[in-house]
Amino acid sequence: MMIVPSLIDQWFPAQQIGAESLRERGSATALPPVNVVHVWWARRPLSASRAAVLGSVLPAWPTESEAAADEDARRVRDGLVAEFADESAYHQWFLQVVGIPSGKDPVRARAAIALANANGIKLQGNGYGYDRAFTRSPQPDEVARIRRLSALRAGGSPDKAPTVLDPFAGGGSIPFEAMRLGCNTVANELNPVASAVLQGTLGVVHDFGPDLASDIRTWGTKWAVAVRSRLEEFFPRAANHTIAGFIWAYTVPCPTTGRPTPLAPNLWLARPASADRQVAVRLDVDQEAGTVIPVIVEGQSAAEYGDRATYKNGVGESVWARDTTFNGEYIERLSKSRRGSYMLLAVCYEEAGSRGRRFRAPTDADLAATAAADKELARLRPGWEIDGLVCDEPIEPGHKTDEPLRMGIRRWSDMFLARQLLSNMVLLEELVRLQPSMLEELGEARGRAVALQLAFALDRCLNYNSRLCGWHPTRSMIGNTFDRHDFAFKWTCGELDAARVLVPWVVEKAASIHRQLSKLVHGLQATTDQGETLGRSDVLRGSAASLPVPAGTVDVVVTDPPYYNNVMYAELSDFFYVWLKRSLPLVWPQFCDLPITDKMAEAVANPSLFKDLATHSGRGKRPAGTKTADELADAHYEELLTRSFREVHRVLTQNGVLNVMFTHKRVDAWDTLGAALLNAGFAIASSWPVATEGESLNQAKKNSAQSTILLNCHKRGDTAPAYWNDIRREVEQAAVEAVERFIRHGLRGIDLTLATYGPVLAVLSRNWPVYTGELDSDGAPQVIRPDVALDLAREKVAALKKRGLLGGKDVDFDRVTDWWLLAWSDFQAAEFPAGEALKLSLATHLDLDTVAKTHKLIKTSSGKATLLTPAQRRTAKRLDVDAPSYDTLVDALHALMLVYEEDGTRAAQAWLNQHDLTNDARFAALVRAAIYAVPRGKQKGVFVRPEARVLDSLRSAFFDHLPLPADPDVVTASAPTLF
C-alpha cells in the first residue's frame, strides 16, 4: 500500500499563486483585513496560504499505471474521475476555489499592466478582469467537495472536515484560510500577543459574524466619551480645528551652554511635490532669554530651512554656539542619565471647511497644556502604580531592545512622552472600567468578544502614540511605532490628540476590520449559522515542541516557522503584552498569565540570550571547544525546531502532510531547517517557489529573497543509509533539474538558488541518514550536515547561472571575474551577508581573501560584504585605468567603465584599441554577462545602480550587437537561457 500523495506533491500553479500574492500585497492601503487586525511582524499572503492548505488537503491525480498497481491509488483515481471530466478540469477547479476564475491568468495580467504603465496607458477596470483572489470565499458546494476529496486521500467519512494544524500560527493567515475552506483548524502560538490576535481573527469572527461590529462601535463610543471628558483640557485647540499631530524634537543639553538643543535630521513639516505647498520650521534662538522659538515657513522659502539638520550621521549640532558639535556617545550618555527632553516644534491641524493640513507654531496654551499633563500624570501615577496599572516592567536587554536601552528608555512606560503616557493610562483605565458592563449587558461570550476587539483598539493607540512614532513630512502624518521590525529611535516624533481624535479613530478601525473579516468568512449575513460549511477553530497557547493534541489526529500541517534570526517576535511584542496583560485579565486571563513574553522557548536564533554563556567572543583565533553566542543561538533554534517537527510527526496521521513555508536567503538557515525536518523523521516530497514578497524600488540596494519556498513533506518510511560519495551525483542532478524547471517560472538570482534546496533536501531524505565516511568525536559514524548538499547545489547553480548570463554559451573568464558576475547575479544587490560571500567563493573555488584583499572587489565589515564600484577600487589602489594589461577581465571592464564615465566615448574607444579589445569576443561576452548580472531596476526612468547605467551606455556605444535583457519595469521576470 502506498502513501497517497497530496495534490501539491504532484502539481501546483506556483506562478499564478505568486502573481496573486504580489497583487494582494501591492497596495499598502488595501491590505487584507487579517493583516491589520493587530501588529504582527510576519504574515503570509492569504492567496498563498489558501493554495498551500488546499493543495495539501486534496489528493494527487494517480496515473493509470499507479491505479493498476495499488488499491488506494485506484480508489482515489475512481473518486476523482467521478467528480471531474479529467485532470485538467480538476486543476481548473482548484484555481477557481483559490479565487482565480476560469480563463483568467494573473501572470499575464501583471505583465500587461506593467507594459501599460510603462507606456502611460491606463487599463480599464483593475487590469485582471476579476477581484483579488482572497476576496472570493469558498462556496458551500466547494467545501463539501473538498471534504469528499480529502477523504479519498486521508480515509474516513466524506462528510468529515479535515483537521489542519499550524504550530507557529503567528498572525493567522494559514488557519484563517483553512477555516474558510471548511477545515477544522488548530492554531498554536507560544506568544500571548499572537494568541490573542488569533482568537480575534478566528474565534470571534467564527462565533459572532459581522453584526458584532455594531456592538464594538456602541461600546467604543462610550469609551471615547469617557476618555474625552478626562483628557480634553490637556489638548487645546481652536473651535473649528482638528489636531492631526503635535511634532516634537528630542533635545539634549548643549555641551557649551547647557541649554536644551533640539536634535532633528531635518526640519520639514510638509514636503509634497509642489514647492508652493511645502512647509518647514525655522529655529530662532533668543540668546538672552535662553529660548528656541519655532517659526513656520511656507512655500518657496521652506526649502531654505527644511533640509537643515541639527543631527546627522550620529553627530549633533548646537543651536546655541556656532560650530559646536557633539557625537553620539555624548548623546547616549546624557540620555541614559535622563537629561534628554522634548521640545514642541509645531502643531498640524485641519480647519473645518478647508482642504489639506496646515501648521502653526506652538502657543502658550499648548505649552501650558503639556505642563498641566505632566502634573496630572504625577498626581495619578502613584495610585495607578498601587493598582498595578503602570507598565513599569524593565526592558530586558536583547537583540532589538538594546536600541531603546542605549537611549535611556529603561522601562516600557518610558516609551511614551509624559502626555502620551497620561493619555494611554486613561484609555486603559476607562476601558477596563467598562468591561463588567459589557459582560452584563451583552452576555459573557459576546461581551468578551467586544472587550478583545477594543483591547486591540487600545494597542493601535499605543502603536500610533509613542515617542517612537516618527513624523512623515512627505505625507504630513504620524508614522507608527513599528514601521520597521525594531525599536529605532525617532529624533522627531508625532503625538495625536488623544482626547478627541485617537479613540474614535481606533474604534472605527476595530469595527470595520471585524466586519471585513466576517465578510470574508460569513458574507454579510448577520447570522453565523452555516451548518457544517465553516470549519471549527481552536486557538492554543504553548510551545510547538509540546502540543496538547492527541497523536495521529491531524490530517495536514501547514506552517510558516520563524525564520532563524529574521524577527525577534518576543522582544518586539513585549511593547504590547505589558498593556494586554492589564487590559484583558478579566475577560481573557489565558493571554495574561506571564510576567513577560517567553524568550527562551521561542524558536528563533537570538544571540542576546547566550551572551553570558558564550565561551568565545567571536573575535580573534578561537580556542578549541569554545562557542560564540551566535553558535549557541543557532544550536538552540535548531533544537527547538527539531522538537517542534517531531511533535508534528507525532500528531499527524500516517498519511498526513506537512507543508513548510520558508523564506530565507542564508544557507545556514536552510541547513538548520533541513536538519530539523530530516532528524524529525520527514521525507521531502516536493518544493515550489512562490513569489510572495513585493519588489522594492530600491531592490538593487538590498539582498533579499522574493520567493517563499513551499516544502511538502510526509512521514519518512524505512530508508537505507547511504554515504555521501554514493549520492553526490544524484544531488548534482537534482539541482540541475530544479534549475531547468524553475527557470521557466522566471526565477533568477538568489531565488533560483533557493528553489534547488527542496529537491536537494529530498535526495537526502530518501537516503537518510547520510554518512560522511568518517567518525565523529564519539567514534560513531559521522552524519553530514544538509549544508554540504546545499553548497554542492550552489556550485552547480553558479555554473549554470554563468551560462545563462552568456545566452547558453560556455566562455572561460577567470575565477575572480566569475565571482564578481555571480555575486551580482545571485544577490541582485550591492550588499549581502559576508557569510554568503564566503559560500559563493567556495562555489567558484576561490579564496575570499583573494576577492576582498588582493583584488578588492568587496569590503567586509560587521558581517556584511559590499561590492565596490570601479571608482572605489581605484581609490583603494587596486585599479589603474592606464595599466598596460590586467590580471583579470573584471579589472579590464572596470577600467573601461571608468574611462567612459569620466572621459567619454572617444577616450573609451582609444582605450579599447590600445588594449586590443575592440573586437575581442571574450571581452564582449563579459560585457553581455555583466549587463545581465547587474540589476537593471529603475526609479523614475533612471537606473538605480550606476554600474547598470554605464554598462547600458557601453553597449550602445561599442557592443550594440549584444542583446538586452527584458526591462524589469515592463516584464515581471526575465528568464535567461541556460542551455
Side-chain angles (χ1 to χ4, degrees), residues 192 541 577 580-585 588-594:
R541 186 173 73 76
Y577 179 65
L580 277 176
K581 76 174 189 176
R582 291 167 168 88
S583 65
L584 289 179
W588 296 96
Q590 63 266 48
F591 303 137
C592 312
D593 58 342
L594 298 177

Side-chain angles (χ1 to χ4, degrees), residues 60-81:
W61 189 290
T63 64
E64 290 185 3
S65 59
E66 288 171 338
D70 183 85
E71 180 180 344
D72 280 338
R74 182 169 62 255
R75 174 178 53 80
V76 172
R77 183 178 174 87
D78 290 345
L80 287 169
V81 168

Side-chain angles (χ1 to χ4, degrees), residues 779-811:
Q782 186 180 61
V783 178
I784 70 164
R785 290 289 307 184
D787 64 354
V788 173
L790 300 181
D791 284 342
L792 178 60
R794 178 186 287 267
E795 181 178 339
K796 292 299 296 183
V797 175
L800 292 170
K801 282 179 180 174
K802 182 183 171 186
R803 293 191 71 191
L805 296 174
L806 293 165
K809 298 178 181 178
D810 287 316
V811 180

Side-chain angles (χ1 to χ4, degrees), residues 652-663:
L652 274 174
T653 64
Q654 189 58 36
N655 201 25
V657 178
L658 166 62
N659 187 293
V660 181
M661 299 182 177
F662 204 69
T663 304

Side-chain angles (χ1 to χ4, degrees), residues 53 166 169 172-180 185-187 198 202 558:
V53 171
D166 184 353
S173 295
I174 293 169
F176 183 75
E177 285 301 319
M179 182 175 71
R180 294 177 75 192
T185 63
V186 181
L198 288 167
L202 303 172
V558 180

Side-chain angles (χ1 to χ4, degrees), residues 293 491 611 843 932:
I293 305 166
W491 303 99
K611 287 181 179 178
Y932 275 79

Side-chain angles (χ1 to χ4, degrees), residues 303-317:
E304 182 181 350
Y305 300 97
D307 287 327
R308 293 189 180 183
T310 55
Y311 176 84
K312 190 172 184 179
N313 298 328
V315 177
E317 180 179 342

